[in-house]
Amino acid sequence: MNRSFFSKLALRNIKSNKQIYLPYVFASIATVAMFYMMVALMGNKFVQTRNASLPMMFTLGAVVIGVFSFLFILYTNSFLIKRRKKEIGLYAILGMKKTHVSRILTIESVVTSSFSILIGLIVGHLLGELAFLILNYVLKFGVKMSFPLTLNAVLITIGLFVLIFLVTLIYNITQVTFSNPIQLIKGKQTGESEPKSSIFLFILSLLLIGSGYYMALTIKDPVDAMIYFLLAVLLVIAGTYFLFISGSIFILKALKKNKKLYYRPSPFISISGMLYRMKQNAAGLANITILATMVIVVVSTTLAVFMGIQGTLNNLYPYENKITYFTDVNKEEKLKEIQKETEKLGLEVTGTESYTSYTLPTQLEDNELIIGDKVDYSSRETMYVDIIVQEDYEKMTNQSIDLASDEMLVYNLKGNEDFSTLLMGEATYQIKSISKSPIKTKGDEAVNSPTIFVVESMEELQAIMDYEDQVSENEYPFTMEAMISWNTTGIQEQKKSYSKKLDEILSDREGSFYESKELFSDELYNMNGGFLFLGIFLGLLFVFGAALITYFKQVSEGYDDREKFQIMQKVGLDKHTIRKTTRLQIIWMFLLPLVIAVIHVAFAFPIIQKMLLLFNVVDTPLVFWCFAGVIVGYSVIYGIIYQVTSKVYYSIVK
């Protein structure tokens, strides 16, 4: 037999089996496209300019989709080879050697995999460009977004899928090598033995998911939330797979033991059918659950960041304008200069806040503040204390206080154990705690709100600075800073024009730094709009993956169930009962991933809320309604997907 014979036979096999090859090739193309788009986003310039952590997040996403691609293609390939076992067995009976059959399978694999990778790369790039164009038009960013073809992404994609298709080829060849012709001919009809329920896997799944939930519920610090979120996600993903593999079998066997429920036509067919295929279904259902969770979390989080922009601006800038002088200045004179400059530009100054502060890095041990070289700046225990004087405190709060030189007002002291004295070097201060920050720009709503000390006079503040200078050999010591914040009259356009002109005037002055709420607003909308775009892009990607798994699962189950239902029709089972039976099975498969995904999201909500604090999103009701809206929206889309795919299933079965 020459090579052309095997090539012609392989191509004829693909053509004659197009009914099962087309879904397989389509699934492979879609999977390649998904992975390529994710890898391309890792090095995308638009992504890199949004936030330094985004490339790492997309790297994690690429790993997740890579694992998903491996499992999904193995799953679809197992369906393909199962449908072709009879054909392969006939080759052996007709005298063809196993090496010849292996060669035919190799040629078929090379053709389908090469075609899938090539078309997948083209489709992935075109879809990426289309998505960027559409979202760029809809969201109207100031920065142009592009999706260029990247050689690294192409090579990584080709490398991964060559490996995946090689594994599937080895699996197919082993199916031929270790089976005799009679087994192959009967392979399609060979049923699975009833899966055994593993109490170990079931308990392990509960422990893994419980550990992830515990971390999500107990972590309080936003930075810790960012660090441990990935670990919690991995624990829940592993637990979800084990839960579907073991827990679903427990439930089905429990239903089977309920004689009143089980020994009725529809439940009997549905429960027994799902029980015998649950090993295969479990992986698909777990994948759908994880993808659904990803869609809800990613889209909801980025939507909350975008919708919370105004709250973020109000949190960062309680006043519209702020100027920081990196030295002690006469604040009254500077404020008069600002008022004159504002009047020249046609507006008036309204509310103001001004104070002088000194930032002191320190650590707290018992009731003693450690200052100078003993402070470990890399430690999470390091506090940055802002020290202000009584005079500024009284102006900002409109409250008169009576402080002695050895007394201090303290706000938000980390590790406070309600002690009444505080040691700082050789000085001992009597502590008076206050519950509200005197500085609006560093108030209770601020993320990582700093500790604030109020001392009696500038002389006392200078004494603290002198002591810190003595015990510290820091090459770049902290300095005293004067801050002036203010609002102005006028409409938004006037305020924006005012901010731009004032920025031009003040930018030439050394020793000061001007900030504007209006100017930062454009930058924040641009940046957070980019997050929203990326969230929508990933959400669409994950929805597509869930739809793909659902469709292929319905097709494979339809072919598995068709002959069984045909036999049942011959023995008297009417079409109404068949439709009712399939509806029960479809509802079961539809609700389970969605319900578990919503439970995962509910437990993940606290840790996500903590991470959002790092983006200065402090509006908890807004975050909640973003999650609720996305859950409802995804449920509708998921319902449509299942309606469409269930019709495919029923058309195959009947």
Side-chain angles (χ1 to χ4, degrees), residues 357-365 368-387 413-414 423-425 450-453 461 464-465 467-469 471-481:
S357 73
Y358 175 70
T359 302
L360 180 68
T362 181
Q363 289 173 337
L364 183 65
E365 293 183 3
E368 181 179 2
L369 282 176
I370 307 300
I371 302 173
D373 293 340
K374 293 182 179 180
V375 176
D376 181 6
Y377 289 91
S378 63
S379 172
R380 294 288 304 280
E381 302 299 322
T382 301
M383 293 189 303
Y384 288 87
V385 176
D386 287 338
I387 308 176
L413 182 61
K414 307 294 191 300
L423 301 177
M424 187 183 299
T451 300
I452 298 174
F453 289 171
L461 175 55
I464 295 173
M465 293 174 58
Y467 173 74
E468 200 274 340
D469 188 52
V471 297
S472 173
E473 295 181 0
N474 191 354
E475 185 178 354
Y476 302 101
F478 290 85
T479 59
M480 192 178 295
E481 297 177 346

Side-chain angles (χ1 to χ4, degrees), residues 606-631:
I607 194 171
I608 293 172
Q609 186 185 7
K610 298 295 186 304
M611 290 193 297
L612 286 174
L613 292 176
L614 297 175
F615 294 89
N616 286 283
V617 180
V618 296
D619 190 346
T620 302
L622 172 67
V623 178
F624 171 80
W625 286 114
C626 286
F627 271 81
V630 172
I631 288 172

